[in-house]
Amino acid sequence: MDPASQDINLNSPNKGLVVDNSDSLSDVPVEGAVGNAANPLPPGLTEEEAEELRTELTKVEEEINTLRQVLSAKERHATELKRKLGLSPLNELKQNLSKSWQDVQTSNAYLRTTEKLGEWNERVTSSDLYKKTQETLSQAGQKTSAALTTVGTVISKRLGDMSNYSIRHSISMPAMRNSATFKSFEDKVGNLKVGL
């Protein structure tokens, strides 16, 4: 049966639906509750009023069960429609997260926090301590760069000297690369690269 064509008439809970009361509270027997010593009538409640309340409770429980069944059928139908449209739960999650993030970004709390952080950033970046720290770090960066340039120049010069030495003394490059001195040098250069 197509879930979209089902009738939701609360006065007729069985119309268009398969009623399964196996998990509802209406299956709990209420007969004999009046005479039950463990569950006496509350003071001021007559037998007729108690019976009316039981009847009303049964009807309300049946309506709740019907609504659960209708909701379940509607959820199945919505899932089927989403599947046909190619909408996956992952896409829905992405859309929900995107929408939530947009809502957060437009919320008053987020806007106030962003404004406050901007003010703090302005105060920090305009302070003398920040400027001195920035200047010190800039100088340290320049000195480090100069030192690395010098190391690079020395390495290039040494490699050039080794190459010239090998040519003058007829040492082949593969033989030089296998030498203990060259391997030691390669290890130091490799450690230098890793340290950068």
Side-chain angles (χ1 to χ4, degrees):
M1 182 179 294
D2 184 17
S5 65
Q6 292 179 350
D7 188 7
I8 308 176
N9 183 351
L10 294 180
N11 293 329
S12 175
N14 297 332
K15 186 175 183 182
L17 296 173
V18 176
V19 178
D20 179 18
N21 290 331
S22 63
D23 63 336
S24 78
L25 294 176
S26 62
D27 288 344
V28 177
V30 290
E31 309 303 332
V34 175
N36 190 345
N39 195 7
L41 285 176
L45 190 63
T46 65
E47 182 72 30
E48 294 82 28
E49 291 172 334
E51 189 59 37
E52 285 178 26
L53 290 175
R54 281 190 214 95
T55 304
E56 186 177 349
L57 177 61
T58 302
K59 286 181 183 178
V60 168
E61 288 173 343
E62 288 174 359
E63 289 174 358
I64 290 171
N65 191 35
T66 300
L67 290 173
R68 282 185 182 139
Q69 291 174 355
V70 170
L71 179 61
S72 178
K74 294 291 181 181
E75 286 174 339
R76 283 191 304 273
H77 184 65
T79 301
E80 181 64 22
L81 291 173
K82 288 177 184 178
R83 186 189 61 75
K84 287 179 180 178
L85 289 170
L87 300 175
S88 68
L90 182 59
N91 287 340
E92 281 189 66
L93 179 64
K94 287 179 185 177
Q95 289 173 350
N96 289 343
L97 289 174
S98 177
K99 173 80 170 91
S100 297
W101 179 241
Q102 288 174 348
D103 291 345
V104 166
Q105 287 180 317
T106 59
S107 70
N108 288 334
Y110 180 84
L111 295 173
R112 282 191 305 246
T113 302
T114 303
E115 182 181 326
K116 193 55 102 175
L117 288 174
E119 290 172 8
W120 290 348
N121 184 39
E122 181 63 33
R123 285 187 207 150
V124 168
T125 56
S126 64
S127 72
D128 289 335
L129 179 61
Y130 177 82
K131 289 178 181 175
K132 287 179 184 177
T133 303
Q134 184 181 25
E135 189 177 304
T136 302
L137 290 175
S138 176
Q139 289 173 358
Q142 290 171 358
K143 289 179 182 180
T144 302
S145 177
L148 291 175
T149 301
T150 303
V151 167
T153 303
V154 168
I155 289 172
S156 296
K157 186 174 185 230
R158 294 263 173 119
L159 286 177
D161 289 348
M162 289 176 122
S163 180
N164 289 336
Y165 178 81
S166 67
I167 292 171
R168 276 185 261 144
H169 293 79
S170 301
I171 299 175
S172 67
M173 283 303 270
M176 187 174 78
R177 283 198 177 129
N178 292 330
S179 71
T181 305
F182 192 82
K183 287 188 179 196
S184 173
F185 178 74
E186 277 185 327
D187 289 343
K188 288 180 183 175
V189 170
N191 289 341
L192 180 62
K193 285 182 184 177
V194 171
L196 297 178

